[in-house]
Amino acid sequence: MKKQLPMFLVFLCGMIMIVQFVVPHEYSQTLFQHSQDFVIVIGVLALPIGIYSLMKSTVTKARREPKERLYSLITIIGFAVMIIAGLKRDWFTSSTSLSSNLFNYILVPAQATLFSMLAFYIASAAYRAFRARTALAAVLLITAFVVMLRLIPMPEPLSTWNAEFVRWILEVPNMAAKRAILIGVGLGAVTYSIKLLLGIERAYMGGD
Amino acid sequence: MPWYDRVLSIDRRWVYLILGLAVVVPVIVEMHIPVTLSREVQAVYDFVSEVRDGELMLLAIDYDPSTMAELHPMAEAIIRQVFEQNGHLLLSSLSQFGPAMTDELITRIAADYGKVHGEDFVFLGYKPYPAITILAMGSDFRVPFPNDYYGNIVDELPMMAGVHNFGDVRGVVALAGGTAADFWIIYGNAKFGVPVALGVTGVMASDYYPYLQAGQLFGLIPGIKGAAEYEQIADRPGEGVRGIPYQTTSHAVILCLIIVTNIAFFAKRAATRRHSQAISSL
């Protein structure tokens, strides 16, 4: 029963949504709208689990590793302050509120800084890894070089001589590879869904 | 140690320093890098040009502060263009950090043009689960957004009278720094048939060219270069154009580093080959 019930529910919900998709009736649309709300409700129910998990891992890390305590403390204080600062809609939407100031003067610079640091890692990685070791690697390197010259802002003629060639690369070989991957992913998703509906795939229940 | 070995085993901190200096150069030396215009950016501009005199378009701000440098200039250029043409704007955000940025942007620009929330533009706010939200918007904007970002009931906003779903907007321009871009194509365009254009970060751009060629996207603004192109077409230089010299110098350094490392790599390989031939001939 512990396994049969979830499998039955998955099968039932899946079949209902498949039937709903092909039936363009008013009731079908209403069912679709309710199912969307249902997904959001399930997501909201997952939020407390996420909070519990964050707090548990932070506290555990602080207990085991004394060096991590300061970071754990900052995580917990930051979490509590952001929740309190955004409790009321006015506090959240006002441009002069604590919530807005925390967002504009802490979160925005912090995220932008972290993301911009990627440029340094990319430069270092490009220097170390982007070498024409084999014929295929050379083809990849030359192609990437030519495409980069077009896509990054370079003075003319560096960025113009290859315009049509780069367009062809993006629209023919790139698209062929991308479509092959997308079709493969799509077929894989369909297969996985069928296996879920038929109870062949049971990993979502844990174990097996 | 031969020169090529020294070049190949250079400490990564030197690379960081060189790149850091390259980013600083445009701060000291004023540079004007001309930007070549592309068809995909021109297509977005042409579309927005038609949103005038009460016409409505949806601008989706689906990015975080991490990609703000590339995508914010696009949003600013598009909003200014629509307001100059007296078009109407519907804004939404499918990124959790998007609403605060959208609010700051739209409030500032609307003040410049004397535009009023509820009459000239409506900011619907944020909802989680992009795919579900886009599907619900296809039924009615009021399903995921019964209230706007500021708590007003959407039905009471004058601009929203008669506006229900994608059928009532001219099209969607989604500025996305993540998977929301895919959902706009899969659900917005493929399921509901609304014309969709994307503004994406530079690294994401090549992923979306297939959709452009297939007609699932009518336009694409790729990264800060795309933003600069848009500003250039609109004859309104802003952060996009100002960001170009930094992109140019940093990318030029990366290209130079790739060339240098490959010269050293081939030099080493040739030396190794010569050495092994010399040994075998003994």
Side-chain angles (χ1 to χ4, degrees):
Chain A
M1 197 62 184
K2 206 174 161 186
K3 285 188 177 174
Q4 275 85 345
L5 186 64
M7 279 165 57
F8 173 72
L9 284 175
V10 166
F11 178 77
L12 185 70
C13 293
M15 293 314 291
I16 288 172
M17 292 314 293
I18 289 171
V19 172
Q20 180 281 324
F21 186 79
V22 293
V23 177
H25 192 270
E26 192 185 329
Y27 290 155
S28 168
Q29 294 307 311
T30 309
L31 176 72
F32 182 55
Q33 285 183 10
H34 284 301
S35 68
Q36 289 167 357
D37 293 341
F38 200 65
V39 173
I40 293 172
V41 169
I42 292 170
V44 171
L45 289 174
L47 190 65
I49 299 168
I51 294 171
Y52 170 74
S53 175
L54 174 72
M55 288 298 123
K56 193 183 169 191
S57 63
T58 307
V59 171
T60 309
K61 195 181 271 182
R63 272 189 193 151
R64 285 182 189 164
E65 298 170 45
K67 282 182 184 173
E68 295 288 328
R69 276 179 194 160
L70 181 64
Y71 302 114
S72 300
L73 190 67
I74 291 169
T75 304
I76 294 167
I77 292 173
F79 177 77
V81 169
M82 283 308 284
I83 284 184
I84 294 163
L87 274 179
K88 273 182 74 178
R89 185 189 283 270
D90 294 348
W91 297 353
F92 190 73
T93 56
S94 163
S95 58
T96 54
S97 66
L98 176 66
S99 174
S100 292
N101 285 329
L102 286 170
F103 180 84
N104 288 323
Y105 301 114
I106 293 183
L107 195 80
V108 171
Q111 270 209 3
T113 305
L114 281 172
F115 198 71
S116 60
M117 280 169 68
L118 277 178
F120 293 91
Y121 295 120
I122 288 170
S124 175
Y127 186 75
R128 280 167 207 293
F130 229 12
R131 289 172 192 168
R133 292 177 204 277
T134 61
L136 279 176
V139 171
L140 181 70
L141 177 69
I142 293 164
T143 310
F145 203 88
V146 172
V147 173
M148 269 180 83
L149 278 177
R150 171 66 184 155
L151 292 185
I152 62 178
M154 283 283 174
E156 292 182 27
L158 279 174
S159 61
T160 48
W161 67 274
N162 52 357
E164 286 309 310
F165 180 56
V166 169
R167 181 168 286 279
W168 177 82
I169 289 172
L170 289 172
E171 292 187 354
V172 182
N174 176 52
M175 188 162 72
K178 180 85 180 167
R179 276 192 179 154
I181 293 167
L182 285 175
I183 291 168
V185 169
L187 290 173
V190 171
T191 311
Y192 187 76
S193 303
I194 292 170
K195 284 169 79 178
L196 272 176
L197 289 181
L198 298 178
I200 300 166
E201 174 61 55
R202 302 174 187 186
Y204 66 94
M205 288 190 282
D208 278 43
Chain B
M1 186 191 275
W3 68 270
Y4 44 78
D5 274 337
R6 279 207 298 274
V7 170
L8 290 174
S9 60
I10 192 172
D11 192 312
R12 70 178 63 191
R13 283 171 292 188
W14 286 108
V15 176
Y16 296 162
L17 181 67
I18 294 166
L19 190 66
L21 290 173
V23 175
V24 171
V25 165
V27 181
I28 302 162
V29 184
E30 196 174 329
M31 298 167 78
H32 295 285
I33 312 286
V35 181
T36 47
L37 305 181
S38 55
R39 276 182 279 178
E40 48 270 25
V41 177
Q42 182 72 50
V44 182
Y45 177 82
D46 293 342
F47 163 78
V48 179
S49 300
E50 291 167 10
V51 182
R52 51 178 66 238
D53 304 323
E55 286 272 359
L56 179 66
M57 68 166 273
L58 174 64
L59 181 65
I61 309 280
D62 302 335
Y63 55 88
D64 290 341
S66 57
T67 49
M68 193 177 170
E70 288 188 274
L71 302 175
H72 227 41
M74 300 175 195
E76 176 145 3
I78 291 169
I79 294 171
R80 285 190 184 279
Q81 189 186 352
V82 172
F83 283 167
E84 273 177 13
Q85 297 166 178
N86 291 318
H88 285 175
L89 258 182
L90 190 60
L91 297 115
S92 69
S93 185
L94 302 179
S95 151
Q96 57 189 335
F97 296 125
M101 294 190 298
T102 313
D103 177 48
E104 182 276 326
L105 194 67
I106 194 72
T107 308
R108 176 165 52 83
I109 301 173
D112 289 349
Y113 292 89
K115 299 293 179 185
V116 181
H117 183 270
E119 292 176 18
D120 303 297
F121 69 95
V122 169
F123 176 32
L124 294 170
Y126 162 75
K127 274 286 179 298
Y129 308 107
I132 298 290
T133 307
I134 294 167
L135 281 169
M137 286 163 92
S139 303
D140 197 316
F141 294 120
R142 290 156 186 79
V143 175
F145 300 105
N147 299 79
D148 69 1
Y149 177 66
Y150 307 99
N152 306 306
I153 297 166
V154 167
D155 265 331
E156 293 175 359
L157 300 171
M159 197 194 88
M160 294 303 287
V163 175
H164 292 282
N165 52 36
F166 294 130
D168 302 312
V169 299
R170 212 179 163 85
V172 177
V173 178
L175 308 179
T179 50
D182 297 288
F183 295 128
W184 278 113
I185 297 167
I186 296 166
Y187 299 112
N189 178 266
K191 184 167 172 67
F192 296 107
V194 64
V196 173
L198 291 179
V200 294
T201 60
V203 289
M204 289 167 66
S206 61
D207 285 343
Y208 292 95
Y209 274 87
Y211 299 107
L212 196 66
Q213 203 260 7
Q216 288 171 285
L217 293 176
F218 67 82
L220 181 69
I221 313 177
I224 194 81
K225 182 173 179 275
E229 282 180 49
Y230 199 99
E231 289 175 356
Q232 198 165 305
I233 300 168
D235 199 18
R236 199 183 300 107
E239 289 299 316
V241 169
R242 276 193 287 277
I244 287 297
Y246 302 94
Q247 287 266 312
T248 304
T249 52
S250 53
H251 280 94
V253 161
I254 292 174
L255 288 177
C256 289
L257 288 173
I258 292 170
I259 293 170
V260 168
T261 191
N262 276 282
I263 290 171
F265 174 73
F266 282 110
K268 185 179 181 178
R269 198 152 74 172
T272 311
R273 200 170 291 157
R274 276 199 303 273
H275 184 67
S276 53
Q277 278 172 353
I279 290 171
S280 60
S281 64
L282 284 175

